[in-house]
Amino acid sequence: MYKAGRHFLQIPGPTNVPDRILRAIDAPTIDHRSAQFAELACFCLEGMKEIFQTTSPVIIYSASGTGAWEAALVNTLRQGDLVLTVETGQFGRLWANVARNLGLRVEVIPTDWRHGVDAAEVQARLAADPKREIAAVMIVHNETSTGVTSDVPSVRGALDTESHPALLMVDTISSLASIDYRHDEWGVDVSVGGSQKGLMLPPGLSFNAVSAKALDAAANRATLPNSFWRWDAMLEFNARGFFPFTPATNLLYGLREALHMLREEGLARVFSRHQRLAQATRKAVCGWGLEVVAQNPGEYSNTLTGVLMPEGHDEAHLRGVILDRFNMALGAGLGKLAGRAFRIGHLGDFNSLTLAGTLAGVQMGLELADVPHASGDVEAALRCLTAQAREQ
Ligand SMILES: *Cc1c(COP(=O)(O)O)cnc(C)c1O
């Protein structure tokens, strides 16, 4: 049955794809060995450097983010290498699983899933590695299962203070093009991105931004078997605007449009827009008397908010009611938080009124699903959005 009005896709990725990008994708596929394609590819490859804030190469894969996780590892590491990771939530856990599946040894620093990476803990572990067995440190910048953003420079600082040679690998899938992320300045060796979040594209593309040190590891140290993910073949072809195999041409049309849109708005404004909308979201959550999953205000995510359900109430039921009555999808509780927390995605092509609609839907859903909450309400968020609009 036709459901009138727009579907509100308020999960923290995939995000709503703006009409401009949908229209850009809707064009005839061209010969991927043509000059016209090379122009498209060069524009996208160069543009993605701006997004990662790097002068190093960015690799574009036709794959979901998980593929780019795997690519980061297979290009740089050896069979049996030890990698250190921090389990900030479900995505940290899944990346660690990818490493295990590849035959790497994985050491996990646990968290309570309500805090980000503790750089002091990472540093202590690095200090206890006199033989320099740890080949890579893997962290998730913005943990999408909890809504916690970690401080990447502090982890870089830990490696530097210990003069530890491990590669620093960072998942920026749910922060890229929405929360400030600086591949070069932060000294990251491999940054992993995806198309379906801040870049406002459908799922299907993912990225590796690679430092000179990572390229050196790829050329001189890595022994893990790999083929599809190989950086060397990609870079060789990319230099002329081509790919070693058939690229996702139509998604690249979309990426070109997204890069134009992000340039028009300007990354600084994109970041502050996400910051403002996140702040207003928390006002509403606080007004409902509900608890945000993230416990440290310095680590609140600007792209999503994880909200804990009152004891005895299931987030899946609440989300089901909201989808059924208001045609809005909210993020499920993942892993340890299944049943206990839902997530409001506020990233990508998103503004004050889409947030107001989103929060109104959540509030009406709480009411309909009989979830106990304070009557202090969306009004608090609207006041916050109004004050922000006055200041702009
Ligand atoms: C969305 C997301 C992924 C997704 O990986 P897919 O393979 O595209 O599903 C990985 N990491 C983080 C932090 C994410 O938010």
Side-chain angles (χ1 to χ4, degrees), residues 12-13 64-67 69 91 140 142-144 171 173-174 196-197:
S64 88
T66 303
W69 271 345
F91 289 94
V140 175
N142 185 69
E143 179 49 75
T144 322
D171 171 335
I173 296 179
S174 65
Q196 73 270 35
K197 312 218 172 164

Side-chain angles (χ1 to χ4, degrees), residues 360-381:
V362 174
Q363 181 168 307
M364 292 187 287
L366 291 169
E367 198 71 39
L368 288 174
D370 290 321
V371 178
H373 61 286
S375 60
D377 49 53
V378 164
E379 197 56 40

Side-chain angles (χ1 to χ4, degrees), residues 13-87:
T15 63
N16 297 286
V17 181
D19 293 349
R20 256 179 80 169
I21 291 181
L22 290 174
R23 283 199 296 268
I25 290 171
D26 181 15
T29 302
I30 53 170
D31 176 6
H32 60 285
R33 310 283 180 208
S34 66
Q36 194 188 349
F37 179 85
E39 207 176 305
L40 167 69
C42 289
F43 181 86
C44 290
L45 290 163
E46 279 307 304
M48 283 310 296
K49 292 185 188 177
E50 276 172 48
I51 301 297
F52 279 101
Q53 304 194 52
T54 184
T55 55
S56 292
V58 175
I59 311 275
I60 303 179
Y61 293 111
S62 307
S64 88
T66 303
W69 271 345
E70 177 162 340
L73 302 170
V74 295
N75 274 288
T76 54
L77 301 176
R78 290 169 171 261
Q79 204 83 40
D81 264 351
L82 178 62
V83 299
L84 178 66
T85 181
V86 183
E87 190 188 289

Side-chain angles (χ1 to χ4, degrees), residues 191-210:
S191 296
V192 177
S195 59
Q196 73 270 35
K197 312 218 172 164
L199 287 172
M200 309 173 284
L201 296 170
L205 294 180
S206 55
F207 310 91
N208 277 175
V210 293

Side-chain angles (χ1 to χ4, degrees), residues 304-323:
L304 77 136
T305 300
V307 184
L308 285 174
M309 294 292 286
E311 206 61 50
H313 292 266
D314 182 10
E315 49 88 15
H317 175 65
L318 172 67
R319 286 185 301 103
V321 167
I322 291 173
L323 179 62

